[in-house]
Amino acid sequence: MDVILTKDVDKIGLRGEVVSVARGYARNFLFPRKLAEEATPSRVAEIQKRDSNRARQEAKTAEQAESIAETLTKTVLRFEVKAGPTGSLFGSVTTTDIADEIWRTRKVRVDRRKIGIDNIKRIGNYTVPIDLFEGVRVEIKTLVAPEGGEMPSDEELEAMEAAERAEQEAAAPTAAEKVEYEYVDDAARVSPADAAMQGDSSPAQDEPTTPDEPEWRADAEAALNDRDA
């Protein structure tokens, strides 16, 4: 079914886009989390009209793009977001957020698809490249700071990132543990027949055993003698 995204969704699309997704995914995930709404004909028409108006406000010539680039070069974007003690964001700063902030602060429209950066997921200082027009690119300084706090120094940022890496490494299984997990998993998949071929001579519980030949031969001869008698 077609839906209109109300927020950026990784690997699906950007806010305001009309995308086609599985009906179950929309009803069980996107709609309950208010990440999308149903793409009714009237809402789609509104989106198309809005996009058309925005496109008219973007640079149409290299000269316009150069003028916009000069403005954005002097601009510093700042986002204050919730973050953990090691600097990881509770969420992310997306290209849509950056485009909206440029419009809010400078009243300049840029195509968010031409913003050349992945979603920002850590506090820090960033340089965001934007292709305004063919052959015209600008880099805009962007600060992502913790909500209600001061921007850490570069040394503090490096220490926070190192602390997060240490936490991730401590939580990850060691090489020896990985080998043990793989050994246990492989052992669980070995069949009794395979175990016997690998040197395990003990028979499986459900596998019938054959008595030694002297015992069953003596029993058979005794039975024949009793019949003849």
Side-chain angles (χ1 to χ4, degrees):
M1 65 181 299
D2 288 340
V3 300
I4 300 171
L5 297 178
T6 55
K7 293 182 180 179
D8 292 357
V9 180
D10 284 346
K11 300 180 181 179
I12 300 298
L14 303 175
R15 186 176 71 204
E17 288 185 336
V18 179
V19 297
S20 182
V21 299
R23 187 174 298 274
Y25 178 68
R27 299 200 178 280
N28 297 328
F29 182 80
L30 296 178
F31 291 167
R33 290 166 174 78
K34 302 187 183 304
L35 298 175
E37 61 179 319
E38 188 173 353
T40 63
S42 59
R43 285 291 292 127
V44 171
E46 290 177 13
I47 295 295
Q48 292 173 341
K49 182 178 180 180
R50 181 207 64 190
D51 290 346
S52 177
N53 290 335
R54 287 184 175 179
R56 284 198 293 269
Q57 295 171 329
E58 295 172 8
K60 293 294 184 295
T61 64
E63 290 75 14
Q64 290 178 351
E66 292 288 356
S67 176
I68 292 173
E70 184 178 353
T71 299
L72 295 183
T73 299
K74 304 173 185 176
T75 300
V76 178
L77 302 181
R78 181 182 176 90
F79 296 91
E80 291 194 7
V81 292
K82 293 182 179 180
T86 60
S88 291
L89 306 186
F90 298 146
S92 61
V93 175
T94 69
T95 55
T96 301
D97 295 327
I98 293 171
D100 288 348
E101 186 65 9
I102 291 173
W103 171 254
R104 189 187 71 83
T105 57
R106 290 297 190 177
K107 291 298 182 286
V108 169
R109 289 289 186 195
V110 298
D111 188 340
R112 55 194 171 173
R113 298 174 187 81
K114 296 180 180 179
I115 298 176
I117 192 172
D118 293 330
N119 291 350
I120 298 173
K121 298 183 178 181
R122 292 189 57 81
I123 61 174
N125 302 295
Y126 296 88
T127 301
V128 178
I130 304 174
D131 291 319
L132 297 174
F133 199 76
E134 185 176 356
V136 180
R137 166 175 281 208
V138 63
E139 293 185 341
I140 185 168
K141 294 180 180 178
T142 302
L143 307 181
V144 180
E147 189 176 57
E150 294 295 327
M151 189 68 184
S153 65
D154 291 343
E155 292 77 11
E156 290 172 325
L157 290 172
E158 291 178 4
M160 294 165 70
E161 190 168 358
E164 183 175 38
R165 284 198 303 268
E167 287 183 2
Q168 293 172 347
E169 291 172 359
T174 63
E177 288 173 334
K178 289 181 180 179
V179 171
E180 182 179 355
Y181 297 155
E182 292 173 359
Y183 175 80
V184 171
D185 188 49
D186 289 342
R189 293 196 296 264
V190 173
S191 66
D194 291 337
M197 292 178 64
Q198 294 171 8
D200 186 356
S201 58
S202 60
Q205 287 183 340
D206 297 335
E207 185 178 340
T209 58
T210 302
D212 292 339
E213 182 177 350
E215 292 181 3
W216 66 261
R217 184 178 294 278
D219 291 340
E221 291 176 349
L224 289 173
N225 291 336
D226 291 341
R227 186 192 64 180
D228 294 340

